[in-house]
Amino acid sequence: MERAPLLDGHGRRIADLRVSVTDRCNFRCQYCMPAEGLPWLEHERILRFEEIARLVALLASMGVHDVRLTGGEPLVRRDFPALVAMLAALPDVRDLSITTNGYLLERDAQALVKAGAMRFNVSIDSLQRDRFYALTRRDALDQVLRGLRLLAGFPQIGPIKINAVAIRGFTEDEVPAFVELARSSAYEVRFIEFMPLDADHAWTPEQVLSGAQLHALIDALHPLEPLEREPSATARVYRFADGQGRIGLINPVSEPFCGDCNRIRLTADGKLRTCLFSLAETDLRGPLRAGADDAELEQIIRDAVWRKELKHHIGERGFIQPARTMSAIGG
Ligand code: SF4
């Protein structure tokens, strides 16, 4: 059943859902969580596959056709390919993608592509083994790159995007290698400005290596030409003037793209977040498990989305970092 489009109070039409399927992760990235990890959500609080599928189907019937599966690290969720297959089978889901740290791709790539995953974003912040280890606290770069190569062997999936978090004093030394990777492969490399969503709440603006600074570094190596920005896109994409590939800059801190934001998020424990930086969440798991029908759930969702934040307030006086960390929200 097709329902009316899902609109927020600013006239934006919601079309993109990010679903965090777990808050757990097999990495311990310095800018995300402490070495010992975080207190994980209890199993019974985590949405079951059929609950996720029901909410995704309901939202898709309201025009939210693009679904991205995230975590924590989604591939650590048991039987994750089965969930991918359930969502890929939903008629109104038109784009099904996954954000992963790539560590389990060597094991799962074939099963995920067979299940219907259409696109992949792989998070890699360093192409140097020792620096990768220092940042993620895992000696895993070689395994991630093997998984990436395996994934690239499936012609049916869309362009693989490699996302690198840009941190001042760290990423500058990574730029040449990532630029060469973007120029010598089909991967679309994107740098993402470091955002205040870390577990330690230690983020400072000084740690942000901005898109403009990255653009200058890259352009000095190989001149860039801007490509037209797609509506609601998070990345500003550039082509290398000599035609050798593309590179993207995602600048939520220095160049926010909230104006035409079309995204909402579902957390692993069934909370609806209308913005990455929401300070309030709407519980869907409770009504769902209490027997609410689709009409009741639809109304709860519409009311919450109508109150969707106009924008984030990073860098403004009074900005409050959300209590929930990036690892429990998902990219
Ligand atoms: S910060 Fe919030 S409003 Fe802005 S683009 Fe991200 S999710 Fe959308």
Side-chain angles (χ1 to χ4, degrees):
M1 174 184 132
E2 189 163 341
R3 292 181 167 82
L6 184 57
L7 300 174
D8 73 9
H10 312 285
R12 295 173 296 192
R13 181 173 174 164
I14 307 303
D16 187 324
L17 172 68
R18 313 286 169 99
V19 181
S20 169
V21 300
T22 179
D23 60 331
R24 296 173 186 245
C25 187
N26 45 9
F27 281 9
R28 295 289 180 273
C29 300
Q30 300 261 5
Y31 58 77
C32 182
M33 67 170 81
E36 66 277 10
L38 293 166
W40 309 127
L41 291 166
E42 297 91 31
H43 183 69
E44 58 280 1
R45 293 177 57 199
I46 302 272
L47 289 182
R48 298 186 285 271
F49 285 177
E50 59 275 5
E51 292 173 327
I52 295 173
R54 179 167 169 210
L55 291 171
V56 169
L58 179 59
L59 282 158
S61 74
M62 292 188 254
V64 186
H65 299 304
D66 298 353
V67 177
R68 173 172 296 284
L69 303 176
T70 71
E73 168 51 36
L75 277 63
V76 304
R77 175 118 188 215
R78 191 181 304 154
D79 299 330
F80 178 59
L83 173 63
V84 173
M86 288 168 76
L87 301 181
L90 296 173
D92 294 324
V93 171
R94 297 185 189 148
D95 183 66
L96 184 59
S97 58
I98 296 172
T99 295
T100 171
N101 63 26
Y103 186 69
L104 296 173
L105 275 178
E106 208 174 7
R107 181 191 74 181
D108 293 345
Q110 180 160 23
L112 293 170
V113 173
K114 192 160 170 266
M118 301 168 192
R119 293 186 303 109
F120 289 77
N121 284 18
V122 182
S123 307
I124 304 176
D125 302 319
S126 172
L127 292 172
Q128 302 172 47
R129 185 177 172 189
D130 55 344
R131 290 162 60 88
F132 185 100
Y133 177 56
L135 193 68
T136 64
R137 301 185 180 107
R138 297 287 184 271
D139 185 11
L141 180 60
D142 293 346
Q143 179 162 333
V144 169
L145 295 177
R146 284 198 305 272
L148 195 57
R149 284 192 293 273
L150 183 70
L151 188 61
F154 295 99
Q156 63 268 55
I157 61 166
I160 299 170
K161 295 176 177 160
I162 295 178
N163 290 349
V165 174
I167 301 170
R168 182 190 299 280
F170 180 88
T171 305
E172 294 92 333
D173 294 343
E174 297 287 340
V175 167
F178 275 114
V179 165
E180 277 327 300
L181 182 65
R183 293 170 57 79
S184 61
S185 72
Y187 305 133
E188 185 172 308
V189 173
R190 293 117 53 94
F191 291 101
I192 307 177
E193 289 178 344
F194 180 32
M195 291 181 278
L197 289 165
D198 54 316
D200 301 336
H201 286 223
W203 179 92
T204 64
E206 290 69 38
Q207 294 168 299
V208 176
L209 182 62
S210 74
Q213 289 156 334
L214 277 161
H215 184 279
L217 286 171
I218 300 166
D219 195 59
L221 293 170
H222 298 283
L224 293 171
E225 292 173 353
L227 296 175
E228 195 170 336
R229 177 179 174 264
E230 286 169 27
S232 301
T234 58
R236 295 178 184 281
V237 182
Y238 301 81
R239 61 184 293 277
F240 289 100
D242 62 5
Q244 294 290 316
R246 298 158 35 129
I247 203 153
L249 299 173
I250 301 176
N251 311 328
V253 177
S254 65
E255 286 181 278
F257 34 80
C258 304
D260 57 3
C261 176
N262 66 349
R263 291 169 290 279
I264 57 174
R265 291 172 166 83
L266 179 64
T267 67
D269 55 342
K271 302 288 191 297
L272 185 66
R273 293 180 63 82
T274 48
C275 170
L276 187 53
F277 292 93
S278 289
L279 298 176
E281 301 177 332
T282 301
D283 180 33
L284 296 180
R285 187 193 68 218
L288 191 68
R289 291 185 177 175
D293 63 20
D294 281 358
E296 289 163 320
L297 290 170
E298 177 183 353
Q299 198 51 56
I300 295 169
I301 291 168
R302 287 191 189 282
D303 292 347
V305 169
W306 188 255
R307 298 188 302 273
K308 174 177 167 67
E309 300 81 347
L310 176 60
K311 63 185 194 72
H312 68 63
H313 298 283
I314 303 170
E316 295 175 20
R317 183 185 293 276
F319 167 72
I320 300 171
Q321 180 170 338
R324 194 185 283 262
T325 61
M326 181 59 128
S327 63
I329 298 173

